[in-house]
Amino acid sequence: MIRRKTLFIWITAAAVLIAGGGAAGLMLKNPTAAAYKDPDGTRFTFKTQGDRFLKYEKDGTWKEIFVKGVNLGATVPGHFPGELPATEEDYLRWFKEIDDMGANVIRVYTIHQPVFYQALVKYNKDKGDDPLYFMQGIWSPEEQLIEQQDAYSGDITKQFKEEIKKAVAAVYGDVTIPQKQGAASGEYKANAGKYLMAWHLGTEWDPGMVKNTNKVHSDVKAYQGKYFSGTKDAAPFENWLASLLDYTAEQEEHYGWEHPVTFTNWVTTDVLSHPGEPLFEEDMASVDARHVQPTGWKGGYFAAYHVYPYYPDFFRTDSTLQTIKDDQGNYNTYKAYLRQLKAKYKDMPLMVTEYGVPSSVGVSHFGAGGRDQGGHNEQEQGVIDASLTKDIHDEGYAGAILFMWQDEWFKKTWNTMPMELPEDRRSYWINVLTNEKMFGLLGMLPGKEKLITIDGNLTDWDRLPEGEVQHWQGKIPGVQDMKITHDEGYLYIGMKLDHPFDPAKSKLYIGADTITGGNQPSAKQLPGRKLEGGAPETLIEIGKDEESQVEIAADYDFHQRLYGKDGYWMLPEAEAGNTAPFHPWKLAISLLMNPPDTRFSHPFIDKTIGTLKRGTTDRSKETFDSLTSWQYSGDSIEMRIPWMLLGFSDPSSLQVIDYGPLKERSYFGTTTTDGIRLIPWIVQRDGSGVSWPGGDQKTLNVQSLPLYTWKQWDTVQYSEQLKQSYYIMKDAFTKISGPKEKKE
């Protein structure tokens, strides 16, 4: 199972620390911010007390706060995270938008380039006592931990400590980091320490690694450090974490500051038991923040979890979470889980530092109450994110940090990975079927999304640059023109008829032929006609709302090939026996597993993903829907089709999935296409006829149709767009002024 937060390993390649001059942090002066000064000279802005998170105010008092913010990535479209391409202009713009949303913190996972810290200091220069803070993540040697299954093995601890030392020095503007591929580097001069809220160590822990570490090192004694120690109940892995928290505190102590410290945790290694979880690995190991205690760190300590409402599956399957109902009478298993978890952490602050849902066409997990991993438009995304935020706040948590600020084109998801190839070109296009790419409140839109509005009006096509639009040269009775263009996300098609389109009377089909193969449409789809010299791999159907979809040729069907008898053989017999020439375009949601591999039977679940939603992408309209695929108005029909629905594994290099057997890791093979031949025709529902490029002929040579093609692209065009979800979250954050009041 692919973890949601797996960033590419090159973002965190360990680099050798080269200490900078001790005065480097003084080169950029920061304005004076409210900070408590201990008698020994140590400064504090934040600390923990009981189960609360406190901030020092300019009036000399400590105030309980609710931490609310977003996770911020380090990349933009066309780049992978290790390239760290964000500029000062990007950061300053994002900081302002995040600040305006009502957030008080940004969480970053790893060391960013020096420009991030410089930009934050610059942004906060005139903010006085209300700066935008950040939470500094420190990436663990994740790949080595998974490979070696032992936290104490080899030089893992050494690598982690090097990363900690480097991160602390970078925050305080006191290091020069040499260049190394996939890692931040440069001269860190900006002292951003007074804008730090907390340290956040590590990544989501592999449960097998945790279990094996505890087994192999069962004789490890409780770690006793100057600032953090393991308790008598601490397991070996927890003692390992205690030593690293202690090392972090030791490094920060050199700079005269103390900040709260935490380590990353997630539901898979939580402290609860989940009898309704089918997968053993999701309940095989626990990492307990209560087994680590601050022994001399006045900045404090808190527990942090990543908690999403759809993963693991027990959010749907565990009856012990079916205890709280929402306003619609459905069980709110997310809220129930939060309550159970908080009950374990009564005496220390507990934050959810990742949560949220994406605004994608694709879905990879179902959640209770419709809180799925994908399949939401921007409005739905915002409503769900806001409801999750409210649940977290209402259950007495100390903070909620939403995942994520910006869309990330490079991301991957388990159920589209076998078809998204080559892997090293993922960042060059936006696959809206991969939900991981679209968690952001800030949309990263493909090049033409702001130029072409899907509303059934084709006049905006005339404003595209010369050469960007191809006019289809074939002749079809009743069709005046067909326009074609594309960008990093979609193939766009605009059709002009000589009469108003009425989906109740007729149906439009467009076959897409990319490589040798394909299927003949059925007699119902193309009555009395036959294609020669080629056939479509995919078929676009435009009719009534419930009919409009993209289907895939039966022998090309990725879903059948991957999960049918030639693949994992998980599809139900009825589905596997579908003999129609074209099948609905589907994605797997949950795989078939049975005991002894699981605790109980886990059915195969899939979802039709090729449905085309009619609507508008005009953001000025109340009817705007970010998942809109097509619309008609009078004699015009307009659509945008996601690349993968047309069989593309990478449109930027014209790669499509081939017809060959599955490769290693059950990935598909690919081949380079010359382009797409579109085969349009219109069928009258009353049986009165078919309008197609063959005219009165009963056969059509597909090779006679024009080829739509393009050159490989290695740079991308994109635009930023605050989603509807941004404004919904702004309202949600604004309504939260502080932590939930405790009941007497």
Side-chain angles (χ1 to χ4, degrees), residues 421-452:
L421 306 163
E423 297 176 72
D424 61 359
R425 296 190 66 84
R426 285 195 183 105
S427 66
Y428 297 138
W429 62 295
I430 173 67
N431 182 10
V432 297
L433 271 62
T434 298
N435 64 81
E436 281 284 348
K437 300 176 187 291
M438 304 185 72
F439 272 90
L441 299 179
L442 179 68
M444 297 293 189
L445 309 183
K448 288 189 174 68
E449 186 155 342
K450 285 190 175 181
L451 302 178
I452 296 178

Side-chain angles (χ1 to χ4, degrees), residues 308-564:
Y308 293 83
Y310 43 73
Y311 185 86
D313 283 317
F314 68 71
F315 280 102
R316 289 188 297 109
T317 61
D318 195 337
S319 61
T320 66
L321 292 178
Q322 296 173 3
T323 57
I324 303 172
K325 289 191 175 182
D326 59 22
D327 294 339
Q328 288 72 45
N330 300 314
Y331 286 114
N332 186 343
T333 60
Y334 189 76
K335 189 179 182 71
Y337 174 84
L338 293 174
R339 185 169 297 178
Q340 289 183 15
L341 187 64
K342 178 56 181 163
K344 298 291 185 180
Y345 291 95
K346 293 179 179 179
D347 301 321
M348 66 184 298
L350 176 60
M351 288 191 198
V352 177
T353 53
E354 276 191 28
Y355 66 101
V357 299
S359 61
S360 59
V361 172
V363 184
S364 65
H365 289 97
F366 286 152
R371 291 166 158 179
D372 303 333
Q373 188 178 2
H376 310 293
N377 61 26
E378 292 177 9
Q379 173 78 17
E380 293 163 346
Q381 177 194 30
V383 170
I384 295 172
D385 284 351
S387 71
L388 297 173
T389 306
K390 187 175 187 302
D391 287 345
I392 295 166
H393 177 262
D394 288 353
E395 290 305 313
Y397 282 60
I401 304 179
L402 183 73
F403 186 84
M404 165 111 211
W405 173 242
Q406 78 270 46
D407 287 344
E408 298 178 300
W409 289 14
F410 74 91
K411 283 291 188 67
K412 55 187 177 180
T413 301
W414 71 274
N415 61 357
T416 57
M417 279 177 58
M419 302 166 278
E420 214 170 55
L421 306 163
E423 297 176 72
D424 61 359
R425 296 190 66 84
R426 285 195 183 105
S427 66
Y428 297 138
W429 62 295
I430 173 67
N431 182 10
V432 297
L433 271 62
T434 298
N435 64 81
E436 281 284 348
K437 300 176 187 291
M438 304 185 72
F439 272 90
L441 299 179
L442 179 68
M444 297 293 189
L445 309 183
K448 288 189 174 68
E449 186 155 342
K450 285 190 175 181
L451 302 178
I452 296 178
T453 301
I454 304 299
D455 59 359
N457 185 339
L458 304 182
T459 56
D460 47 4
W461 287 63
D462 298 331
R463 295 191 289 271
L464 294 177
E466 186 176 353
E468 288 286 314
V469 178
Q470 177 176 313
H471 290 261
W472 192 77
Q473 301 302 311
K475 293 184 178 180
I476 305 175
V479 177
Q480 293 184 10
D481 188 21
M482 184 168 77
K483 304 175 181 181
I484 312 167
T485 191
H486 72 277
D487 64 11
E488 294 81 357
Y490 305 94
L491 181 75
Y492 296 82
I493 303 172
M495 297 190 71
K496 185 81 168 178
L497 310 181
D498 65 2
H499 61 279
F501 177 64
D502 185 351
K505 295 181 179 180
S506 61
K507 194 173 185 179
L508 168 67
Y509 291 91
I510 304 175
D513 182 20
T514 55
I515 53 176
T516 301
N519 273 4
Q520 290 287 331
S522 69
K524 183 178 180 181
Q525 293 166 330
L526 185 57
R529 307 293 191 274
K530 185 177 180 180
L531 301 173
E532 296 178 339
E537 275 68 46
T538 55
L539 183 62
I540 303 167
E541 303 180 25
I542 300 295
K544 298 175 183 178
D545 289 356
E546 66 276 9
E547 297 173 325
S548 300
Q549 63 177 315
V550 176
E551 291 190 306
I552 188 166
D555 56 349
Y556 192 58
D557 185 350
F558 308 155
H559 194 59
Q560 289 275 1
R561 290 160 67 189
L562 187 55
Y563 299 108

